[in-house]
Amino acid sequence: MAFGPYLLLATLEGLVMAAVLALMALGLSLVFGVMRIVNVAHGEFYMLGAVLAWWFASLIGGHPALGFLLALAASPLTVAAVAFLSERLVLRRLNYEPETTIVATIGLLYIIQQLALTFYGPEARPVQPPFDVRLSLPWFGYSSYKLAVVGASIFLMLATWFLLAHTKAGLVMRATQSDRETAQAFGIPVDRVYAGVFALGAGLAALAAVLVVPIRQAHYLMGQDPLLLSFIVVIIGGLGSLRGTVIAALLIGLSDGIISMFFSPTLAKMLATLLVALVLVFRPQGLFGTVTQ
Amino acid sequence: MTISAKALWLHFGILALLFALNFVLPEYHRGIFSRVMVLAVFAMGYNLAYGYTGLLSLGHAMFFAAGLYGAGLTIYHLDWSVWPALLAGLTAGAILAVAASFLALRTAGVAFMIVTLMFAQVFYLATLYFTTYTRGEEGLVLPQSARVLSLPGIELNLTDPGTRYMVALALFATVLFSLLFLVRSSFGRTLVAIRESEERMRMLGYDVFTNKLSSMTISALICAAAGAAYAILFGYAGSSFASIQYSILPLLWVLLGGAATTLGPVVGTFFMFYAVDIASGYTSAYMLVVGLALILLVLYFPRGIAGTARERWLPWLP
């Protein structure tokens, strides 16, 4: 193939990756922004979403779309419930102190990973995509499902934006984010908002995972790479900036797709990680964030 | 401030006990003890940055692995002997420590954790990228012939378990006593004061940045020494030692034993190692044990074993 087709393919793959990253990073950014904690277990919620998606899909026979739809509905809800429970049982008791919550979420990471290994096993397992029409592009055929993932991600981002900007729940979340004490004084149940946000963040990660399973299979170690990448997205985009998150996800997804196609993927990851670390060193508020502290 | 006589006796007593154990422990446990003493050095180094200075780094695996590879690569590819290889490990650790800390210390709190984590991740990816030299996950197995420590008038064969135990103990003792004096010196007190209130120390005219940089560098050097010793004593260097897990483990050991106590990291490392060892006798799910331990620790035991002992019974514990 010539250069053009390669570039198109890399761009398409990069877009799919950006779509998934944006959803995952959005969850991380919400939790990070509203609760001021770093959820290291976010990648495991993603993995749990994928593993549960496989399990739910395997329950139903018949057309693959049926199993997928069940997974799409049930898996994020289950993960959100798990997150809600762990927030109530652990994080709340730590008073949301940044450093101890990091340690606690590292603990959560290990527990979820081990449970997945014990009950799901070390194999990678696929879920059938709900539809699989090949779109014919000038040089090659491309999976329509992958493009649908991009569409679904855009829809979910818009829905989250609407939730945050135009509903009462969003107002309450934003109030809690900007000033926890004043919000509490105005009668906002900050405690419940926190639990809700943590569950919502985990649910978004699980949703991203369900969308990914037909493309990349479910595996018990699949949470680590996207966790680091979504950290990167959140940091580059700037804390609490929805626009920043989307732009950063596009930037990272596309550059990762294109660089890994033409150079070594490990080298691409190395350079991206180093670059982001330096962004954080010299511009801690990210590219689109405002100074908060 | 001086070290109380009680504290000195306690530390000497522990060393004497470890020395004596070399002659009575069964082979299996003697092996574990040698390994844990080296890893406890890693934890003690981490404790200087985290416990005493309040710098929660999630990237110390990089310093351990720098020592590990500094020694391992030079022995494997250049046929260096033990002393220069050890020096290479320490140099690698020191260079990385100064460079990474100089950048990372411009940030604080959560940003500091993430920046250190990312630097360590870059190092880990580098060990995978240069697979031709490091052989990645598979790692390097150092030749037995290279693992001979020359002292004036005597050659120590490090593949012999008894000798290995004694060399590990010598490193352990050196670091334990150096740290005991360091944290009680005015420099050590300055670090603790910075941990408690950076603003106030700055107002009092202390150079906070340089003190933190020194703390990180000494901490990293100790971790690199542990890494180099690990490569030389156990003859293996692999990239898993640079992974995130090896940044989290020293944090876990220090938290478990008690941050900002000289003996905490030692107690924590031994305790965790045996907890996992015993747990894996019953179940293969040792990660579950580690995870539960972390959560229960921060919930119910935030000061760790030695920290609680100091709070309740032994106020003189350094």
Side-chain angles (χ1 to χ4, degrees):
Chain A
M1 276 198 286
F3 180 74
Y6 266 126
L7 191 65
L8 180 65
L9 185 63
T11 310
L12 284 173
E13 290 291 313
L15 265 183
V16 176
M17 181 164 175
V20 174
L21 262 187
L23 272 184
M24 216 182 137
L26 185 61
L28 197 65
S29 171
L30 274 178
V31 171
F32 204 8
V34 175
M35 305 168 71
R36 309 254 171 237
I37 63 166
V38 178
N39 176 19
V40 188
H42 198 64
E44 297 328 291
F45 287 138
Y46 170 82
M47 178 272 285
L48 195 60
V51 166
L52 284 172
W54 174 84
W55 186 70
F56 281 119
S58 69
L59 288 180
I60 294 195
H63 195 275
L66 290 177
F68 182 80
L69 282 177
L70 176 69
L72 195 61
S75 167
L77 283 179
T78 318
V79 173
V82 171
F84 186 84
L85 213 64
S86 39
E87 200 275 345
R88 296 281 79 174
L89 289 177
V90 182
L91 300 187
R92 188 177 55 143
R93 297 195 196 182
L94 296 174
N95 238 337
Y96 308 107
E97 212 201 288
E99 295 187 352
T100 41
T101 43
I102 288 221
V103 180
T105 48
I106 290 174
L108 206 57
L109 178 159
Y110 278 127
I111 293 175
I112 299 178
Q113 209 171 75
Q114 181 67 60
L115 290 178
L117 179 63
T118 307
F119 292 104
Y120 172 83
E123 309 87 10
R125 297 183 179 131
V127 168
Q128 290 283 312
F131 52 85
D132 198 16
V133 186
R134 288 200 86 75
L135 296 176
S136 53
L137 296 174
W139 297 288
F140 49 83
Y142 197 70
S143 155
S144 59
Y145 177 74
K146 285 188 181 177
L147 293 181
V149 168
V150 177
S153 170
I154 293 173
F155 170 76
L156 286 166
M157 302 292 290
L158 285 174
T160 314
W161 169 76
F162 185 82
L163 174 82
L164 280 175
H166 293 286
T167 64
K168 178 118 189 294
L171 185 66
V172 165
M173 269 157 64
R174 278 183 291 139
T176 315
Q177 168 162 7
S178 58
D179 190 338
R180 179 180 167 180
E181 253 118 62
T182 313
Q184 191 136 34
F186 273 86
I188 291 175
V190 169
D191 242 40
R192 259 188 287 160
V193 175
Y194 276 14
V197 166
F198 198 68
L200 179 65
L204 280 169
L207 212 50
V210 179
L211 293 173
V212 135
V213 185
I215 307 171
R216 293 214 195 117
Q217 308 190 323
H219 185 258
Y220 85 103
L221 286 176
M222 71 191 282
Q224 300 304 303
D225 273 359
L227 175 70
L228 258 165
L229 282 175
S230 48
F231 264 143
I232 293 177
V233 167
V234 169
I235 291 159
I236 290 209
L239 184 65
S241 158
L242 195 63
R243 183 183 57 141
T245 305
V246 175
I247 295 176
L250 271 173
L251 202 72
I252 299 287
L254 283 178
S255 59
D256 192 86
I258 293 170
I259 299 176
S260 337
M261 179 89 48
F262 295 104
F263 302 96
S264 140
T266 313
L267 187 65
K269 241 184 267 166
M270 262 168 76
L271 293 178
T273 314
L274 197 60
L275 191 72
V276 171
L278 291 178
V279 166
L280 195 57
V281 166
F282 292 105
R283 206 181 142 79
Q285 72 274 30
L287 295 179
F288 297 92
T290 44
V291 185
T292 45
Q293 276 144 3
Chain B
M1 193 184 282
T2 50
I3 303 153
S4 72
K6 276 189 222 166
L8 270 179
W9 280 115
L10 178 67
H11 287 73
F12 270 121
I14 285 171
L15 289 183
L17 180 70
L18 284 169
F19 182 81
L21 280 173
N22 186 25
F23 304 101
V24 289
L25 278 177
E27 199 51 56
Y28 174 71
H29 291 280
R30 188 159 71 165
I32 289 196
F33 266 59
S34 323
R35 209 168 283 255
V36 173
M37 279 191 285
V38 174
L39 292 175
V41 170
F42 182 22
M44 286 192 278
Y46 184 77
N47 190 28
L48 182 67
Y50 169 61
Y52 287 98
T53 325
L55 296 164
L56 206 174
S57 147
L58 287 179
H60 264 57
M62 171 163 74
F63 305 129
F64 183 78
L68 188 87
Y69 277 113
L73 288 173
T74 47
I75 290 179
Y76 190 84
H77 292 291
L78 307 173
D79 295 322
W80 286 17
S81 62
V82 166
W83 286 113
L86 187 67
L87 200 65
L90 287 174
T91 314
I95 292 172
L96 270 177
V98 173
S101 312
F102 189 80
L103 289 168
L105 282 173
R106 294 172 52 102
T107 65
V110 171
F112 180 76
M113 290 179 232
I114 296 177
V115 169
T116 46
L117 180 110
M118 282 177 163
F119 282 147
Q121 187 67 7
V122 173
F123 187 87
Y124 169 66
L125 290 169
T127 63
L128 293 181
Y129 184 70
F130 295 104
T131 299
T132 341
Y133 304 104
T134 64
R135 299 190 48 204
E137 298 281 356
E138 201 184 319
L140 306 169
V141 176
L142 305 182
Q144 297 222 340
S145 55
R147 290 158 54 203
V148 176
L149 185 69
S150 326
L151 289 174
I154 185 171
E155 299 260 297
L156 295 174
N157 176 14
L158 297 179
T159 51
D160 170 63
T163 315
R164 188 154 63 188
Y165 187 98
M166 283 306 174
V167 172
L169 180 62
L171 174 72
F172 176 84
T174 313
V175 171
L176 182 66
F177 270 85
S178 312
L179 277 176
L180 179 61
F181 287 101
L182 185 78
V183 301
R184 285 281 149 167
S185 69
S186 65
F187 172 64
R189 298 289 98 185
T190 311
L191 296 184
V192 172
I194 289 175
R195 179 190 73 196
E196 293 303 322
S197 173
E198 211 176 305
E199 264 327 295
R200 204 165 293 177
M201 288 303 277
R202 199 169 284 131
M203 269 182 351
L204 288 171
Y206 282 87
D207 187 344
V208 171
F209 184 83
T210 310
N211 274 300
K212 279 183 174 173
L213 189 67
S214 319
S215 165
M216 274 295 274
T217 311
I218 299 171
S219 160
L221 261 179
I222 296 173
C223 295
Y230 198 95
I232 294 165
L233 289 178
F234 303 103
Y236 174 77
S239 61
S240 62
F241 287 109
S243 66
I244 293 178
Q245 206 192 348
Y246 270 81
S247 291
I248 293 174
L249 281 175
L251 170 66
L252 173 64
W253 295 329
V254 166
L255 275 172
L256 182 64
T261 59
T262 45
L263 289 172
V266 182
V267 177
T269 316
F270 270 95
F271 190 92
M272 200 65 216
F273 222 85
Y274 270 99
V276 169
D277 190 60
I278 292 166
S280 54
Y282 295 99
T283 161
S284 59
Y286 82 92
M287 280 198 298
L288 195 69
V289 178
V290 177
L292 281 175
L294 274 174
I295 290 182
L296 293 178
L297 264 173
V298 291
L299 276 179
Y300 300 109
F301 234 131
R303 295 196 189 284
I305 298 167
T308 310
R310 171 162 66 187
E311 199 173 53
R312 299 223 179 119
W313 310 291
L314 316 167
W316 45 267
L317 211 62

